[in-house]
Amino acid sequence: MKPLITWPIALITGACAPWTPASSLSYSAEPVPDGIAIRLPPRHEVMQRWLLPPDQPWAPFTKATLLSALDEQPPPTPESLPDVRRLSIVQRAQAAALALARGGVPPRTLWIVDLRGAASVAFVATLSLRAPVAPILTFNNWPAEDEVIPAEETLSALLFYSPVMPPRNVIATPVFALDAFRLAYREESVDEATDNRYALSSADFPSASQLGPLGIDHVIYVVERWGDGEVEEDDLHDVFATWADAGVPITVMDLGQVVEEPRVDVYLGEHRYYPVPRVTIVEGPWLHEHSPGGFGGHEGAPHFAGARGGWLSGGGG
């Protein structure tokens, strides 16, 4: 499969356009690494490794879409998949996860890791080796020939890395693994490519009223880099706004800050992020005209409910 992430980059539309995690990947992503021969395991084996058991309260939010791209009876010969271990962002994500584990994961926190898909996988898997966390996959597309975003790369990471599931009756810290590529290349034409982009929705995360009963009183958003003028990804805006309006603290950390902060709990008390009202591509026609290869976005004509379009994906589906 040939991910189309080396296209000529168009100029950003509008100098004041907010910078999101997908923007960084659209304009400066590392190339997809060369392939390595992997003997594919059967689908059920990988699902057993990555999907939370049903008695875990976070299990309903996990998506098995990308894992479903594997065959139950894989071919006997090895397949070539990107060797994501060579990506510097994957190595940085692992270093950040180890640093977080050393300093201690603050209790009653929910983590949203919005990195390149393979890096998010490496982060949550590495962290789970040292701390009781509940890995929650949100990857909602399949690999395809001439794909816009490298779903095959994320799938490869799910084969290379395995999490340690939290013990029964242990309160585990939820860590949502997102692919920051999901809304990338929004200024590009994809007429001759398989558009496997997608968007998440508020139904894919716990509501503000659910957070407290689930033992959460602070949300941490982890991105690759964070600077002045940067904002959360467009499909997270309504989710963050709803949480903030309900008084749920949100803190943003980039990988460098996670590595450098010896006491994340102290950092959370001193830093709080408030999403500023803005227009996102989720609210316009963009998702109705793009991402037919994704499973979590709009499809076809919009079915309006007030000012919002209708979503196909359900909570935790």
Side-chain angles (χ1 to χ4, degrees), residues 111-131:
W111 294 70
I112 296 178
V113 182
D114 201 357
L115 307 170
R116 185 169 179 157
S120 292
V121 169
F123 183 99
V124 67
T126 302
L127 183 60
S128 74
L129 301 177
R130 309 293 178 91

Side-chain angles (χ1 to χ4, degrees), residues 52 56-58 109 132-135 165-167 169-175 214 216:
L52 289 167
Q56 282 285 332
W58 302 103
T109 55
V133 302
M165 287 295 171
N169 303 319
V170 169
I171 299 177
T173 299
V175 183
L214 287 170
I216 302 301

Side-chain angles (χ1 to χ4, degrees), residues 232-254:
E232 73 287 344
E233 193 52 69
D234 279 15
D235 56 353
L236 299 178
H237 178 65
D238 280 355
V239 181
F240 281 21
T242 300
W243 289 343
D245 287 346
V248 178
I250 301 170
T251 298
V252 181
M253 299 187 74
D254 62 27

Side-chain angles (χ1 to χ4, degrees), residues 19-159:
W19 198 256
T20 72
S23 304
S24 298
L25 290 176
S26 298
Y27 292 88
S28 60
E30 292 178 78
V32 174
D34 293 336
I36 186 173
I38 301 176
R39 189 176 296 279
L40 300 180
R43 180 195 307 125
H44 77 273
E45 180 181 311
V46 186
M47 286 190 171
Q48 286 176 351
R49 278 193 273 152
W50 275 102
L51 300 186
L52 289 167
D55 61 338
Q56 282 285 332
W58 302 103
F61 295 97
T62 298
K63 293 185 180 298
T65 310
L66 183 55
L67 296 178
S68 299
L70 295 168
D71 290 330
E72 186 55 45
Q73 295 182 334
T77 56
E79 296 285 329
S80 179
L81 287 175
D83 189 357
V84 297
R85 298 168 298 182
R86 298 171 54 188
L87 287 168
S88 65
I89 179 59
V90 166
Q91 296 163 12
R92 291 174 56 213
Q94 289 183 284
L98 290 173
L100 174 60
R102 284 194 299 269
V105 180
R108 300 185 63 84
T109 55
L110 178 150
W111 294 70
I112 296 178
V113 182
D114 201 357
L115 307 170
R116 185 169 179 157
S120 292
V121 169
F123 183 99
V124 67
T126 302
L127 183 60
S128 74
L129 301 177
R130 309 293 178 91
V133 302
I136 304 164
L137 306 182
T138 66
F139 311 124
N140 211 22
N141 63 348
W142 282 33
E145 294 294 336
D146 292 330
E147 58 191 359
V148 174
I149 61 175
E152 187 182 34
E153 182 183 281
T154 304
L155 182 60
S156 178
L158 292 167
L159 301 181

Side-chain angles (χ1 to χ4, degrees), residues 9-19 23 27 185-188 286:
I9 300 302
L11 293 176
I12 301 176
T13 301
C16 297
W19 198 256
S23 304
Y27 292 88
Y185 308 115
R186 62 191 67 178
E187 302 298 335
E188 297 288 350
W286 190 89

